[in-house]
Amino acid sequence: MFLELISFLTQFDPGFDVLRYLTVRAVLAMLAALFISLTMGHFFIGQLRQYQIGQVIRPDGPKTHLAKAGTPTMGGLMILFSFITSILIWGDWHNSYLWIVIITALIFGSIGFADDYLKIKKQSSDGLSGKQKYLAQSLGAIIIGLWLVNNTHQPISSDLLVPFFKDWTIPLGALGLTVLSYFVIVGSSNAVNLTDGLDGLAIMPVILISGALAIFAYISGNYNFSNYLNMPFMPDSGEVFVICAALIGAGLGFLWFNTYPAEIFMGDVGSLSLGAILAVIAIIVRQEILLFIMGGVFVAETLSVIIQVGWYKRTKKRIFLMAPLHHHFEKMGMSEPKIIVRFWMMTFILVLISLASIKIR
């Protein structure tokens, strides 16, 4: 939106043109999202308390979580509002990637909102049924996947990049990329959702991964950098740098209130949408494999649930004391802050390994 205003102002003073620069807009987008989150945080939490929109705790969970019952939830609305507002202000409205990310946030945020609403209405930890949620996510993922593949304004490569190798790519074609997009979006959305079980556990990995994806977006959108680093040049993907910056700002603003002991939870409206947003960004910059690596914590949490359910159905015995994985460590007696920080550290290490792929090719 401000790009149009900047174009007008540069007629009077060329100095305003600095606001067009990608790096400047990214910094301003991050600060705007952070400012909006911090400014509206206390008011938003107060409104949630007033209308008794509080967390419903599953009865079979760790006993320490019973004290969290009633903590305001659906904080994902605050994240999405600050994120979308920021990129609408500082983003390029002519860039179709911006609208793809916004629609992704709205679709998966709506699914999460419906799930949270039913939980609060029924005062139960069960919202949408598994089939309902999966169907809605599948439809959303198919819509977004087809949009990405058939984006005539800014087409993306249909080759899957293999990190740490110089010239190794896997050709997928339009159909293959659509199928891959479907699994990445649905998988990432559910993985972040499963991880969001402790105060701040999910949002910090989202912030760290967003930072790494921002670097990949900046490189792939710049011909000179992509050529020097032997990475595919993807026109207009540089705008994703601004989008990632806004996501970081919104995430940090939410973490201010979500850090242990949390004043607010993001709910499914936040976790489902954030996972889908990360997936779409990774698809745009063609770093789906690195998303899998960077999101190792999300992957481990998801696998722990799959293994637990599968093994129990077969043997009527449990491998973990409780799934997802963070609850297993809680049952072992590890304190919540220690689990959270260690999972953050693991994500940071995995992000550094992924960033190393820029030079190790």
Side-chain angles (χ1 to χ4, degrees), residues 160-170 229-232 287 289-290 293 353-354 356-361:
L160 177 64
L161 301 183
V162 180
F164 304 104
F165 292 91
K166 187 175 182 180
D167 298 310
W168 189 7
T169 61
I170 302 174
L229 294 169
N230 195 39
M231 294 179 64
Q287 298 297 341
I289 295 178
L290 284 183
I293 296 173
I353 292 172
S354 299
S357 69
I358 295 174
K359 291 296 291 182
I360 304 175
R361 301 174 63 82

Side-chain angles (χ1 to χ4, degrees), residues 94-264:
H94 298 292
N95 190 296
S96 60
Y97 293 144
L98 180 143
W99 298 108
I100 292 175
V101 171
I102 289 176
I103 296 302
T104 299
L106 293 177
I107 290 176
F108 283 82
S110 297
I111 298 170
F113 181 87
D115 194 34
D116 288 333
Y117 174 77
L118 290 175
K119 289 178 181 177
I120 295 168
K121 183 179 180 180
K122 297 186 295 185
Q123 283 299 294
S124 168
S125 58
D126 297 323
L128 293 171
S129 68
K131 290 182 179 179
Q132 289 174 327
K133 188 184 294 187
Y134 182 71
L135 176 60
Q137 288 177 303
S138 296
L139 290 174
I142 291 171
I143 292 171
I144 299 301
L146 290 173
W147 190 359
L148 284 167
V149 173
N150 296 288
N151 183 12
T152 56
H153 297 290
Q154 293 145 322
I156 61 177
S157 169
S158 60
D159 289 350
L160 177 64
L161 301 183
V162 180
F164 304 104
F165 292 91
K166 187 175 182 180
D167 298 310
W168 189 7
T169 61
I170 302 174
L172 299 174
L175 177 60
L177 181 57
T178 303
V179 173
L180 176 66
S181 298
Y182 167 80
F183 283 109
V184 173
I185 295 172
V186 173
S188 178
S189 179
N190 282 313
V192 176
N193 182 237
L194 290 172
T195 305
D196 182 38
L198 301 180
D199 301 352
L201 180 60
I203 192 63
M204 180 54 81
V206 168
I207 293 170
L208 293 172
I209 294 170
S210 297
L213 289 174
I215 294 173
F216 284 105
Y218 187 79
I219 293 172
S220 64
N222 186 294
Y223 178 79
N224 293 324
F225 287 162
S226 60
N227 184 56
Y228 172 72
L229 294 169
N230 195 39
M231 294 179 64
F233 171 59
M234 303 172 192
D236 298 314
S237 64
E239 190 65 25
V240 177
F241 182 60
V242 178
I243 295 171
C244 289
L247 187 58
I248 293 170
L252 287 172
F254 177 74
L255 182 61
W256 183 273
F257 304 100
N258 183 236
T259 190
Y260 182 86
E263 300 174 59
I264 187 173

Side-chain angles (χ1 to χ4, degrees), residues 302-317:
T302 304
L303 288 177
S304 69
V305 174
I306 295 173
I307 293 171
Q308 183 87 320
V309 173
W311 188 255
Y312 184 79
K313 285 183 176 179
R314 184 174 181 179
T315 65
K316 299 302 178 183
K317 295 181 180 179

